Amino acid sequence: MEKIALVVGSSGMAGNNLSQELVAQGWKTYGLSRSAKNNVNGVIHVRSDLLDINTLNQALWDVNPTHVFFTTWMRRNSEQENIEVNATMVRNLLNVLSGKRSVKHVGLVTGLKHYLGPFEAYVTEGTLPETPLREEQPRLSYPNFYYAQEDEIYSAAERDGFTWSVHRPHTVIGNAVGNLMNMGTTLAVYASICKEENIPFIFPGSEAQWKGLSDVTDAGILAKQIIWAAETPTAFNKAFNVVNGDVFRWSWLWKQIAAWFSIDYIGYENEIKPLTKILDGKEEAWRKMADKYGLAEENLNKVSSAWHTDLDLGRPIEVMTDMNNSRKLGFKEYCNTRESFFTLFEQLKSDKIIP
Ligand SMILES: NC(=O)c1ccc[n+]([C@@H]2O[C@H](COP(=O)([O-])OP(=O)(O)OC[C@H]3O[C@@H](n4cnc5c(N)ncnc54)[C@H](OP(=O)(O)O)[C@@H]3O)[C@@H](O)[C@H]2O)c1
């Protein structure tokens, strides 16, 4: 069987890395997004807005994927609106593809908010979940757009007879510019500003995150698990956590990052010091750095997502993730977290995103 992938959200962090891995593994790979900014050689671009079913129909008229990988999301002001927009995107795509009967498997990327609740609930609602987070933990009682995306896939799978897999990464570390959530690049940009201004690199998170155990998900390992699940019958119709496979404490990693940039650092001291506040007013400083060092993006807000770093590092508990289920079925990849960050920093330097 010819393997034809449609990566939905191919210009984003998960989608860009996944399309790179698919092409490297010999798949015919289509990449869909509104901007078609994915620069992976070999990807066939499909420019379309998932919210506009008419143009989506036209854009996909001669695309007959065997595998669909859904790595897209949009952010709205409330979880109710997130549910509407994100469920609509999944539904529109699967409705358009339904008539073709080409799709054998659909992989969906969601995340640990499946267990932790939506951003607005991090601080205000519910009891804190038990960690390490495990796939069998029940859904939370309040609204969550990940559940709505899953439900769209489950009902389309029943209608059209394809298999599915769901992938739940922790914070994703990987290369992408201009995307909504990108902790690795945000920290690299913040550290570069600290170096330029000779100021300390301040940990912006909570005491629990500074002292507790944590893990992250390299975008490369996420890509490998998605492809593994699409080709492993025992993994069909299951949801999997996906993280690097090692654990660390931010009190250790923060020092490592500071040393990589040759800057001083300040760890957690008595209170949370949000990065959104630290970076507020640094837009002009970044523009000047872009000019001085010939950087590719002079808009600080396109290379940093401080709001997201604050939410992740501000959690009131340590968060790490159980990987037993996919390991037991044969997914044996792992990744060294320090190398995830340092490889990304090297890439950002060579792409002129940081000096
Ligand atoms: N980033 C993280 O740290 C992280 C952590 C855990 C879980 N996750 C989850 O992983 C999934 C993927 O996240 P990500 O960070 O990879 O996303 P991302 O980098 O923001 O990428 C989103 C992709 O979707 C495309 N897109 C957005 N709206 C679209 C629309 N209306 N029509 C067509 N394409 C559209 C974007 O391209 P255009 O703008 O060009 O259309 C982009 O290619 C999400 O469910 C997210 O919640 C992410």
Side-chain angles (χ1 to χ4, degrees):
M1 181 185 79
E2 194 185 2
K3 295 187 291 190
I4 306 170
L6 173 63
V7 178
V8 186
S10 53
S11 61
M13 185 149 55
N16 190 61
N17 285 275
L18 175 60
S19 46
Q20 200 167 348
E21 187 66 31
L22 285 161
V23 169
Q25 293 192 22
W27 290 59
K28 180 171 183 179
T29 304
Y30 291 92
L32 185 149
S33 67
R34 291 165 303 181
S35 66
K37 265 201 307 206
N38 172 300
N39 55 8
V40 177
N41 276 338
V43 171
I44 307 156
H45 297 295
V46 179
R47 188 192 296 266
S48 184
D49 186 339
L50 291 160
L51 292 176
D52 180 353
I53 196 150
N54 293 325
T55 59
L56 190 60
N57 237 321
Q58 283 163 20
L60 290 172
W61 75 271
D62 63 348
V63 181
N64 298 296
T66 56
H67 292 70
V68 174
F69 300 114
F70 203 90
T71 68
T72 313
W73 78 297
M74 293 178 89
R75 188 174 184 224
R76 292 285 190 257
N77 288 331
S78 70
E79 196 58 14
Q80 207 47 54
E81 291 169 276
N82 285 337
I83 287 172
E84 264 159 48
V85 80
N86 288 292
T88 303
M89 290 201 291
V90 177
R91 192 180 327 119
N92 282 351
L93 180 82
L94 296 178
N95 281 349
V96 166
L97 294 175
S98 180
K100 297 173 184 277
R101 298 271 158 214
S102 63
V103 179
K104 307 276 178 260
H105 184 86
V106 176
L108 167 71
V109 178
T110 65
L112 295 194
K113 289 191 288 296
H114 183 94
Y115 312 106
L116 295 164
F119 287 129
E120 63 205 44
Y122 268 22
V123 207
T124 53
E125 290 185 55
T127 50
L128 297 169
E130 200 174 2
T131 59
L133 300 164
R134 293 171 200 278
E135 290 93 339
E136 57 271 25
Q137 282 169 227
R139 284 184 176 187
L140 303 171
S141 57
Y142 33 89
N144 190 322
F145 82 81
Y146 287 161
Y147 305 162
Q149 287 182 309
E150 282 186 353
D151 291 343
E152 291 294 340
I153 288 189
Y154 300 157
S155 62
E158 210 156 289
R159 176 190 67 197
D160 296 341
F162 56 74
T163 57
W164 54 265
S165 56
V166 175
H167 305 271
R168 298 177 185 154
H170 196 166
T171 308
V172 181
I173 304 303
N175 198 14
V177 173
N179 71 323
L180 288 168
M181 309 185 288
N182 192 336
M183 186 198 278
T185 303
T186 301
L187 294 184
V189 164
Y190 171 38
S192 302
I193 291 173
C194 292
K195 190 170 174 112
E196 183 71 8
E197 300 190 346
N198 203 15
I199 53 174
F201 184 53
I202 299 171
F203 181 72
S206 65
E207 186 172 17
Q209 283 288 309
W210 179 251
K211 291 185 175 165
L213 285 171
S214 192
D215 51 25
V216 294
T217 306
D218 191 284
I221 213 157
L222 172 60
K224 285 188 175 122
Q225 195 199 54
I226 294 169
I227 300 171
W228 164 82
E231 298 190 305
T232 306
T234 48
F236 291 168
N237 304 331
K238 291 189 172 64
F240 296 109
N241 293 334
V242 50
V243 286
N244 281 0
D246 59 358
V247 288
F248 65 91
R249 294 179 207 279
W250 278 104
S251 55
W252 171 82
L253 187 59
W254 203 254
K255 282 189 279 214
Q256 309 289 318
I257 297 175
W260 196 91
F261 283 92
S262 307
I263 52 179
D264 293 332
Y265 72 92
I266 295 177
Y268 176 83
E269 281 176 353
N270 307 320
E271 57 175 357
I272 290 178
K273 297 176 184 125
L275 188 56
T276 34
K277 275 201 184 152
I278 297 173
L279 290 184
D280 191 26
K282 296 285 185 200
E283 294 81 3
E284 190 49 34
W286 183 256
R287 210 163 284 128
K288 284 190 180 145
M289 284 173 67
D291 193 37
K292 181 173 168 187
Y293 297 107
L295 302 181
E297 181 53 68
E298 59 164 28
N299 182 346
L300 180 61
N301 293 322
K302 288 228 168 112
V303 287
S304 64
S305 47
W307 67 274
H308 168 249
T309 298
D310 281 341
L311 283 166
D312 270 15
L313 296 183
R315 291 171 184 150
I317 47 166
E318 60 177 12
V319 178
M320 67 333 232
T321 319
D322 185 78
M323 280 290 283
N324 275 312
N325 284 351
S326 62
R327 283 193 185 133
K328 197 170 174 190
L329 294 175
F331 182 69
K332 295 282 161 49
E333 298 283 344
Y334 100 103
C335 200
N336 179 322
T337 290
R338 187 167 52 174
E339 283 169 19
S340 290
F341 278 89
F342 291 1
T343 306
L344 172 66
F345 298 161
E346 294 290 358
Q347 182 73 47
L348 294 172
K349 259 190 153 183
S350 87
D351 292 349
K352 288 265 172 208
I353 301 298
I354 58 170

